[in-house]
Amino acid sequence: VVGTILVGNRVGEVDHFDRSDLELFEPLARNLGTVLESGTLEQSLQQLRDLEAQLRHQAYHDPLTGLPNRARFIERVELALDFSAADPEHLGVLFFDLDDFKVVNDSRGHSVGDRLLIEVARRISSAVGPEDTVARLSGDEFAVLLDCPDARGARGVAEAVLAAIRRPIQIDDEEHGLRATAGVAMGDSGARADELIRNADVAMFTAKQAGKNRCEVFSPDMHVAVIERHELMADLQRAVDRDEFVLHYQPIVSLATQRVLGFEVLVRWHHPRRGVVNPGDFIPLAEETDLILPIGRLVLAKACQQARDWQQRYPEHADLAITVNLSSRQLQQPSFVGETLQLFAESGVSPESLILEITESVLMEDTGTSVAKLMQVKSLGLRLAMDDFGTGYSSLSFLAELPIDILKLAKPFTDGLGRTERETAFAEAIVGLGKTVGMKVIAEGIERREQAELLRGFGCDMGQGFYFSPPRDATYVEHLLRRGDGAEDRKIIPFPA
Ligand code: C2E
Ligand code: MG
Ligand code: MG
């Protein structure tokens, strides 16, 4: 006997089997018997088993890097926690997220992005021990399960991984520099796998907030901050829908005459519960979530309308310049040039009075396209300023190639003025550099008279800072414009003479 057939549950008018049914079953059973004996079934079973193994692998691995995926990683952590129930504090989960990978992927194309991810997977794997599990959790998120003595040891491994990722990656003829941020969470009695992974994620988030390219070890108070951030994100989306943004203006003053030459537009968020939120507390978040695109458009549109309004109502002040900060995400949009041109056309503002501020990093990321776009908007007549100059990494030769009209000396250099001889000389050198390449220089963050005077001595054209005036609302600007007191026209006298 090679097998038995069991039949049942006959469907139809007759609910039992009779002799004629039996006559049908007999040949069927004989045929099946032959098939079984010739081993066909065995073969099919083997195929089925292979298929199942393949499916299992697919379900548990990331096809791009071949690493275990999130589902598998959770299983592995669960298993490890069960095994080390007595001393779970030896288990560490490291969570890695690449910094600004979206930018690389968007600008360099997905096939380069994929190859970078494969290389990152390889580097993480070789930076950790052979016993440790490396997984790709999603897009640019990786995780490692470690067996190690304590949080310090785990942090050490995470730092080594970050260093490995930072080494330049060569793809075809191009070198890429990637950075990542890490979070570490150690096992805890009673903690489950998903909790442990989430804690490492929260620590990573906190490290991103603190400025990326670094590592943080989880502590329970981090949760509160993350929840708050979550709320803020939802609020920010609503703020865009309802336009809760207000522009403030900070005077830019001629250091020689103390006359106001223009205003920097600085956005404020009027939050219904929190009150006024400063850009430092929401622009980075907006940049991560791409909400910076609608916000940036709003700011630019409002600034153009406001400038146009002042130009019409106060024609004697038509020379006033308005400078607007531009985020790198805005510039990366293929529609950037078209949209900007349309905004100018719609508002009717004269482009000569507009200055766009960009930071060095904007241009470091994707020089060719960015420069081409900037040239296009420049051809309309508006000017470009490099914001916070000296805090980025641009080389001098790079600076000479850019279509920049104005350098804004970053506040840390202004702060250094008069502090030591060396710092003073440094600020002077940067001002000199700007002038040498034919740019105007605006010193940022002037808080004291002495700084203003030193800068003027160095030939710095313009200044901005609390010493002259903090950013104020439009009413203040109008007050200044209406004053019209002859020779003192638009002058800011900051200190008791
Ligand atoms: P930023 O463009 O470098 O703007 C100068 C910042 O320094 C402003 O902060 C200003 O209030 C502050 N500041 C000016 N003078 C002084 C001073 O004498 N002492 C000190 N301690 N601070 C001074 P704010 O308004 O908080 O803006 C911070 C940053 O947020 C800006 O830096 C800019 O990068 C960004 N930002 C502001 N508005 C926008 C916007 O509409 N779009 C984009 N993309 N970024 C914006
Ligand atoms: Mg600025
Ligand atoms: Mg600045």
Side-chain angles (χ1 to χ4, degrees):
V1 176
V2 285
T4 335
I5 307 178
L6 180 74
V7 289
N9 224 7
R10 184 177 189 162
V11 191
E13 308 274 3
V14 192
D15 59 1
H16 60 277
F17 296 104
D18 58 20
R19 271 214 79 77
S20 61
D21 290 314
L22 195 60
E23 274 165 24
L24 272 176
F25 289 146
E26 269 168 2
L28 178 66
R30 263 198 306 279
N31 280 341
L32 271 177
T34 324
V35 169
L36 279 176
E37 275 171 341
S38 68
T40 331
L41 194 63
E42 185 55 35
Q43 224 176 329
S44 332
L45 279 177
Q46 186 55 44
Q47 276 172 0
L48 215 63
R49 266 184 234 118
D50 289 349
L51 194 68
E52 196 196 337
Q54 253 178 29
L55 283 173
R56 254 190 97 70
H57 187 87
Q58 269 175 28
Y60 282 115
H61 288 81
D62 159 43
L64 180 69
T65 60
L67 290 178
N69 62 12
R70 184 184 286 271
R72 177 85 186 121
F73 189 69
I74 294 175
E75 268 192 18
R76 293 278 304 135
V77 177
E78 240 153 38
L79 215 68
L81 281 170
D82 286 345
F83 263 118
S84 59
D87 52 352
E89 53 285 346
H90 287 195
L91 284 181
V93 169
L94 316 182
F95 197 110
F96 298 95
D97 186 291
L98 298 180
D99 296 339
D100 307 313
F101 189 68
K102 198 168 149 59
V103 176
V104 179
N105 222 21
D106 289 352
S107 62
R108 300 296 204 280
H110 288 234
S111 88
V112 171
D114 283 354
R115 288 162 73 186
L116 287 170
L117 287 170
I118 293 170
E119 179 59 17
V120 167
R122 207 188 55 76
R123 290 191 183 182
I124 299 178
S125 302
S126 41
V128 303
E131 301 292 302
D132 304 326
T133 305
V134 179
R136 179 174 175 219
L137 300 188
S138 69
D140 62 346
E141 288 175 348
F142 295 85
V144 177
L145 172 65
L146 282 184
D147 195 359
C148 74
D150 54 19
R152 255 190 60 182
R155 176 195 274 274
V157 176
E159 306 260 3
V161 169
L162 293 185
I165 294 174
R166 272 196 301 268
R167 289 200 323 268
I169 300 176
Q170 184 87 27
I171 286 187
D172 298 332
D173 290 335
E174 216 180 332
E175 226 177 55
H176 299 263
L178 288 185
R179 300 221 172 323
T181 301
V184 174
M186 302 306 288
D188 195 348
S189 49
R192 292 316 313 162
D194 50 349
E195 247 175 284
L196 193 54
I197 298 168
R198 200 185 56 217
N199 289 350
D201 189 1
V202 164
M204 186 281 294
F205 239 68
T206 312
K208 284 261 187 197
Q209 296 295 97
K212 306 182 185 173
N213 186 26
R214 64 189 70 210
C215 171
E216 291 282 350
V217 176
F218 174 78
S219 70
D221 55 321
M222 287 178 176
H223 264 306
V224 184
V226 167
I227 290 167
E228 217 166 69
R229 186 190 136 95
H230 210 76
E231 276 175 16
L232 200 65
M233 212 131 80
D235 288 357
L236 194 56
Q237 174 66 59
R238 194 209 48 217
V240 170
D241 300 338
R242 299 194 195 163
D243 183 9
E244 295 172 353
F245 301 101
V246 173
L247 304 190
H248 277 202
Y249 303 85
Q250 186 175 34
I252 296 170
V253 177
S254 154
L255 289 179
T257 65
Q258 292 190 348
R259 193 158 187 266
V260 176
L261 301 177
F263 294 92
E264 174 170 9
V265 171
L266 294 156
V267 67
R268 304 287 180 259
W269 173 12
H270 283 207
H271 191 287
R273 284 190 327 278
R274 292 169 197 254
V276 177
V277 186
N278 278 327
D281 295 325
F282 71 88
I283 293 279
L285 189 67
E287 283 179 332
E288 272 171 51
T289 54
D290 272 358
L291 279 173
I292 191 66
L293 300 175
I295 296 176
R297 270 195 295 273
L298 259 172
V299 169
L300 198 58
K302 281 182 194 226
C304 287
Q305 274 157 18
Q306 184 64 84
R308 161 77 173 162
D309 180 48
W310 286 334
Q311 280 170 1
Q312 280 190 329
R313 283 168 46 216
Y314 309 101
E316 68 278 22
H317 295 301
D319 60 314
L320 267 184
I322 291 285
T323 101
V324 181
N325 292 284
L326 200 66
S327 152
S328 64
R329 294 290 301 144
Q330 287 173 269
L331 192 60
Q332 278 156 10
Q333 293 307 300
S335 57
F336 170 74
V337 175
E339 264 180 27
T340 310
L341 299 193
Q342 196 185 347
L343 265 181
F344 289 156
E346 277 169 10
S347 68
V349 68
S350 77
E352 290 75 24
S353 56
L354 272 166
I355 301 170
L356 293 181
E357 289 191 15
I358 49 181
T359 55
E360 288 163 87
S361 56
V362 170
L363 296 166
M364 299 299 287
E365 277 158 11
D366 169 23
T367 330
T369 340
S370 301
V371 172
K373 285 184 189 162
L374 290 173
M375 289 296 225
Q376 266 176 288
V377 287
K378 248 193 89 139
S379 66
L380 269 190
L382 57 90
R383 282 168 291 168
L384 297 176
M386 185 169 276
D387 203 358
D388 304 331
F389 181 72
T391 55
Y393 304 97
S394 40
S395 66
L396 293 184
S397 59
F398 181 64
L399 183 65
E401 287 166 20
L402 293 176
I404 298 287
D405 309 281
I406 299 165
L407 274 193
K408 296 191 78 173
L409 180 74
K411 183 169 182 295
F413 297 105
T414 305
D415 290 343
L417 280 167
R419 201 156 53 195
T420 63
E421 232 168 80
R422 201 184 152 96
E423 283 173 291
T424 311
F426 216 82
E428 181 174 13
I430 298 182
V431 172
L433 171 78
K435 309 235 53 142
T436 310
V437 290
M439 298 178 187
K440 295 261 182 247
V441 182
I442 302 177
E444 293 188 87
I446 300 179
E447 293 179 343
R448 298 192 311 275
R449 174 186 184 153
E450 170 207 25
Q451 295 169 330
E453 281 173 359
L454 277 171
L455 284 161
R456 189 174 41 147
F458 299 156
C460 179
D461 310 277
M462 291 166 270
Q464 185 182 348
F466 292 171
Y467 172 61
F468 298 108
S469 164
R472 310 269 292 269
D473 62 15
T475 323
Y476 163 80
V477 177
E478 304 222 352
H479 170 74
L480 202 71
L481 296 186
R482 268 200 305 265
R483 219 167 53 186
D485 38 8
E488 295 300 295
D489 185 29
R490 249 162 62 191
K491 273 192 190 171
I492 286 191
I493 310 296
F495 44 88

